[in-house]
Coordinates of all heavy atoms in Angstrom, one line a residue:
Chain Y
E14 N -53.4 39.9 -19.2 CA -52.0 40.0 -19.3 C -51.3 39.5 -18.0 O -50.4 38.6 -18.0 CB -51.5 41.4 -19.6 CG -51.7 41.9 -21.0 CD -53.2 42.2 -21.2 OE1 -54.0 42.5 -20.3 OE2 -53.6 42.2 -22.4
V120 N -12.2 -6.4 -22.8 CA -11.7 -7.8 -22.7 C -11.9 -8.3 -21.3 O -12.3 -9.5 -21.1 CB -10.2 -7.8 -23.1 CG1 -9.6 -9.2 -22.7 CG2 -10.0 -7.5 -24.5
V237 N -30.4 0.6 -10.9 CA -29.3 1.1 -11.8 C -29.5 2.6 -12.1 O -30.4 3.0 -12.7 CB -29.2 0.3 -13.1 CG1 -27.9 0.7 -13.9 CG2 -29.2 -1.2 -12.9
A289 N -21.6 -7.6 -12.0 CA -20.7 -7.6 -10.8 C -21.5 -7.2 -9.5 O -21.2 -7.8 -8.5 CB -19.6 -6.6 -11.0
E464 N -19.9 41.1 -54.3 CA -18.6 41.2 -53.6 C -17.7 40.0 -54.1 O -16.5 40.1 -54.3 CB -18.8 41.2 -52.1 CG -17.4 41.4 -51.4 CD -17.6 41.2 -49.9 OE1 -18.7 41.1 -49.4 OE2 -16.5 40.9 -49.3

Side-chain angles (χ1 to χ4, degrees):
Chain Y
E14 285 73 24
V120 174
V237 186
E464 182 190 346

